[in-house]
Amino acid sequence: MACKITHRVNAQEIRFANRDAAERYAEIMGGGAHNWLFTTVTTTEAPPVVTTAPSVVTTEPAPAPRTPSR
């Protein structure tokens, strides 16, 4: 079952497919399991929404290439 860990100090949340993966991350990368709160995620909880920034569109023409100076 999915598991979410929340850092006790900075409230960072990370979601994992299972508790084993969450515990491994907490021990190896997160400074130890004692720094994290482990929560079982129910299926009714919606996954996070990922948004992307719109691509930048410029209306200015590209600058002319520079000619080498001698």
Side-chain angles (χ1 to χ4, degrees), residues 3-48:
C3 181
K4 178 175 69 175
I5 60 174
T6 306
H7 197 272
R8 293 181 188 268
V9 176
N10 62 18
Q12 176 186 8
E13 293 182 347
I14 307 173
R15 184 182 168 125
F16 294 89
N18 56 52
R19 187 176 177 99
D20 289 338
E23 289 176 356
R24 182 171 169 83
Y25 176 87
E27 286 297 332
I28 296 172
M29 301 297 292
H34 63 279
N35 291 325
W36 298 87
L37 297 172
F38 292 80
T39 308
T40 301
V41 179
T42 61
T43 57
T44 58
E45 185 175 327

Side-chain angles (χ1 to χ4, degrees), residues 55-66:
S55 59
V56 177
V57 178
T58 60
T59 56
E60 298 177 19
R66 295 181 58 187

